Amino acid sequence: MDFEFSPEDEAYRQDVRQWLSGHHPGKPPAPHGSPAWLQWAKNWQRQAYDAGYLGLGWPEAYGGVEGTLTQQVVLTQEMVRARVPGFVGQMGMRMLAPTLMRYGTEEQKQTYLKPILKAEQIWCQGYSEPNAGSDLASLQTRAEEDGDDFIVNGQKIWTSGAHYADLCFLLVRTDPDAPKHRGISYLIVDMKSPGVTVRPLRQMTGAATFNETFFDHVRVPKTNLIGELNRGWYHATTTLSYERTLLANSARTELFFEDMLDLARQGQGQRAASHPSMRQKIAQLKIETEIAKLLFYRNLTTELRGDIPGPEASIMKLYSTELNHRICGTALELMGPYAALWQDSKYVVDEGAWHYEHMFTLGLVIGGGTSQIQKNIIAERALGLPK
Ligand SMILES: Cc1cc2nc3c(=O)[nH]c(=O)nc-3n(C[C@H](O)[C@H](O)[C@H](O)COP(=O)(O)OP(=O)(O)OC[C@H]3O[C@@H](n4cnc5c(N)ncnc54)[C@H](O)[C@@H]3O)c2cc1C
């Protein structure tokens, strides 16, 4: 098997690398989600768009440029390597856009795809509810038909970025009498509509990147329906498989591992790594990092063949997100007593980045479908085991 990138892709890598070295945006202003941060994040995405790095392989009519999926992967790898933050519009670009291209009307594609790339419109994902997370199909947010509109009532939760998003791709129940998977529709909702209320939720990292989102008699034009009425569940699962691919970025895992290894080679970390059990643990993590990379390439192959990632996306998401969390945990172990220090201490290692990542990576084990749910999918769909 050949896992090398083609000479064209490698040439593209050099091009991206050079561009990033001349246009590195530096550190984003804190706190995450503030108006200054949002403007910075939009400017950065816009710069990348203007330089022709976004919308690779999308039709030109929707703002796309010529390019391949492997070039998209190369771009992500190089951004991670250069320690550049991900794009603020990635939920729109990587999750909604593929769904819209498959199921959206021509008018929807014309209206939304280019502003997604240019960071003119930021999207959030309105799926989870207080009583519908893993069992998403039990969702109860209702949309009732009223002339040319739907009237939406209900509550979503854990809506990442809802506090700055312009639009939401929202799952709603449109037929309460149908079996639960068959009564769901997929809507586009303007977050500035009267009746939408967003309340931030603070996470254990201290940041507030996700929210409770309330819909109280929100009027949504019927032209904002994506795909067929009551077929939203099937469209939503397309979005979810792309979300798993987004969350399982093997370049991120490799960088976590390299940074953790640096810790093991110096100071307190070197003392800890002189113990055989710690050395074996690190060697094991190296093996797992390689496996994560191969799982990522397998998933990429599925996408290159034009197929939607299936259970292989679940295997990759489960494996990579848990591995990222373990690598960050090992970094904390290497610090020994320094792991007890928080960001406000002048002795804290790496400005407290490992503490933050250890908590944040746990969130990604849960977000996009928990590990237990991924295992259920693998058992049923890949292995054919009974439910
Ligand atoms: C960082 C982060 C960002 C997120 N962003 C978004 C977002 O932007 N939009 C959005 O809609 N949602 C978002 N979510 C929500 C996420 O999709 C849900 O948290 C996730 O699907 C789990 O649902 P839940 O929290 O309701 O947990 P529950 O479904 O209540 O699960 C609780 C526990 O029970 C286990 N469990 C549940 N059912 C089963 C089963 N059948 N078999 C075995 N075990 C089971 C779960 O694995 C879990 O351990 C985000 C979550 C996180 C952590």
Side-chain angles (χ1 to χ4, degrees), residues 146-152 189-190 193-194 216-221:
D146 182 38
D148 290 337
D149 299 329
F150 291 105
I151 306 290
V152 177
V189 177
D190 183 339
S193 309
D216 183 13
H217 285 82
V218 177
R219 199 164 271 281
V220 178

Side-chain angles (χ1 to χ4, degrees), residues 91 125 127-128 133-134 158 160 210 363 366-368 370 372-373 376:
M91 266 202 216
Q125 176 195 27
Y127 279 23
S128 306
S134 299
W158 319 126
S160 303
F210 54 26
I366 299 166
T370 67
Q372 288 78 14
I373 294 305
N376 284 347

Side-chain angles (χ1 to χ4, degrees), residues 90-333:
Q90 61 186 2
M91 266 202 216
M93 284 192 285
R94 302 281 301 275
M95 290 168 62
L96 176 71
T99 314
L100 210 53
M101 285 204 219
R102 208 170 252 258
Y103 302 108
T105 62
E106 187 51 38
E107 194 190 339
Q108 288 169 345
K109 293 177 199 176
Q110 292 284 354
T111 308
Y112 297 113
L113 290 173
K114 203 184 271 190
I116 284 178
L117 289 176
K118 294 165 99 175
E120 288 170 354
Q121 287 176 340
I122 305 300
W123 288 75
C124 62
Q125 176 195 27
Y127 279 23
S128 306
E129 296 183 3
N131 292 313
S134 299
D135 184 15
L136 185 59
S138 295
L139 62 92
Q140 284 169 7
T141 295
R142 293 269 294 267
E144 283 159 331
E145 298 189 45
D146 182 38
D148 290 337
D149 299 329
F150 291 105
I151 306 290
V152 177
N153 279 292
Q155 185 197 343
K156 296 289 171 179
I157 196 165
W158 319 126
T159 332
S160 303
H163 50 310
Y164 54 77
D166 303 292
L167 293 151
C168 178
F169 46 100
L170 186 76
L171 286 185
V172 289
R173 187 157 299 286
T174 35
D175 184 353
D177 301 323
K180 62 181 183 180
H181 293 88
R182 301 215 190 115
I184 294 172
S185 298
Y186 199 122
L187 294 184
I188 296 169
V189 177
D190 183 339
M191 293 295 282
K192 308 286 180 303
S193 309
V196 177
T197 308
V198 175
R199 280 199 215 136
L201 291 165
R202 194 157 296 282
Q203 294 131 246
M204 62 178 163
T205 55
T209 59
F210 54 26
N211 306 271
E212 291 179 291
T213 312
F214 299 88
F215 299 86
D216 183 13
H217 285 82
V218 177
R219 199 164 271 281
V220 178
K222 281 188 177 163
T223 47
N224 283 15
L225 174 72
I226 300 180
E228 286 176 55
L229 189 70
N230 297 324
R231 295 277 305 162
W233 176 258
Y234 307 98
H235 309 333
T237 48
T238 306
T239 315
L240 281 177
S241 63
Y242 287 109
E243 182 180 23
R244 282 168 203 146
T245 310
L246 179 66
L247 292 174
N249 174 351
S250 68
R252 191 73 197 89
T253 306
E254 287 176 72
L255 191 67
F256 273 141
F257 181 82
E258 291 304 324
D259 286 349
M260 184 270 292
L261 196 59
D262 279 349
L263 271 184
R265 286 179 172 144
Q266 50 183 306
Q268 177 70 29
Q270 200 177 28
R271 275 194 290 283
S274 66
H275 197 279
S277 67
M278 180 51 90
R279 283 210 307 279
Q280 287 184 15
K281 192 172 199 172
I282 293 172
Q284 178 65 29
L285 289 173
K286 171 64 181 164
I287 295 167
E288 293 175 31
T289 301
E290 288 299 309
I291 294 172
K293 191 164 77 178
L294 297 179
L295 289 174
F296 179 78
Y297 286 160
R298 181 168 72 172
N299 202 66
L300 177 62
T301 306
T302 306
E303 288 195 46
L304 284 172
R305 289 188 184 134
D307 295 329
I308 296 173
E312 62 269 49
S314 292
I315 295 174
M316 181 183 67
K317 193 271 173 184
L318 165 69
Y319 195 85
S320 306
T321 53
E322 290 198 350
L323 175 58
N324 288 346
H325 185 59
R326 277 203 305 282
I327 295 174
C328 295
T330 305
L332 291 178
E333 279 182 56

Side-chain angles (χ1 to χ4, degrees), residues 12 48-68 71-72 93 97 101 109-110 112-118:
Y12 184 75
Y49 172 78
D50 288 341
Y53 291 112
L54 300 185
L56 293 177
W58 289 24
E60 208 184 316
Y62 309 140
V65 290
E66 214 176 290
T68 62
Q71 288 177 343
Q72 228 174 74
M93 284 192 285
M101 285 204 219
K109 293 177 199 176
Q110 292 284 354
Y112 297 113
L113 290 173
K114 203 184 271 190
I116 284 178
L117 289 176
K118 294 165 99 175

